Amino acid sequence: TGYGLEKKVVKSKVGEKVGLPCCHEIPSSESLHNYRVYWQKNTTEVVLAYAEGKMISKHERYENRTEMNTKNLTLWIYPVEILDNGPYQCVVQHLRFSQNSVVVCDEPVTLFVTADFSKPNITAEVSADSCESTEMVVKCSSHGGFPKPKISGALNNASMVWNASWVSESSLSPYNVTGQLRLNVTKDVSITCSVEYNGFTKSTSLLLKKTNYCVVPTVPPSHNVITASSIIIIIFLLAITLAARYLPRHGKCSSFFKKRSLTA
């Protein structure tokens, strides 16, 4: 709960009990019988009203959910609903004489209601795949919260922007939010989706994996042809060299054996 000098602000979550402070407190020497108290919403809708110590009016929407402290005039609401969000006003009149009344105070207080969003859900569908990259359609969704949220994202901690859309029946109804993005993933990357509302944040992260890794040759085909040709030529030259060194010796040996057989 926070209070400004000019504008009082109270924050609460759906389902909680909240007290809206009034601008006046009845002194111990007096009682509620000396006052008229009006708690209003949007300056037109009377939440409840007291006159001369008795409740004279109560709005049906607040039935069984509101009560007022008879000393400090705090308006208690339980359980809080989204529809309770908005500006309120505590108007206090003092009855000094039989019919005359003096306005003691008339000040606004704003209630900010928050409903928690679900933890964001991230899905990724592969729309195209190649050796170089994987094209994905990534979606992030969260629902059931209030007020209207902001949706943000990050790719490996670098901020990114979603194509966002919001759905709500009215300005005082729960919101559903969806973010969508097309990504070309060239390597594994972490994506984060965050939903922010009224000072609260819910986040989810997901690892997007490059799905198709192809074995790309490190040497271009033209080089392969040149290399293979060079190896063949070298082997051919080696074969000729070995043959040239081996054949002459073989010839000398055979003529030597022929001579010996003739002399014998």
Side-chain angles (χ1 to χ4, degrees), residues 179-200:
Q180 187 168 313
L181 198 66
R182 281 189 176 273
L183 285 177
N184 278 325
V185 179
T186 55
K187 59 182 179 180
D188 292 0
V189 64
S190 175
I191 189 167
T192 301
C193 178
S194 300
V195 175
E196 302 166 44
Y197 54 102
N198 217 0
F200 298 93

Side-chain angles (χ1 to χ4, degrees), residues 3 7-9 18 27 42 62 67 88 91 102 106 124 129 131 136 142 169 195 198 205 216 218 220 257:
Y3 301 98
K7 195 174 183 181
K8 290 182 180 178
V9 173
V18 68
N42 297 322
Y62 293 90
E67 60 180 345
Y88 290 76
V91 181
V102 178
D106 176 0
D129 209 1
C131 294
M136 294 182 180
S142 180
E169 289 181 8
V195 175
N198 217 0
S205 294
V216 181
T218 53
F257 283 119

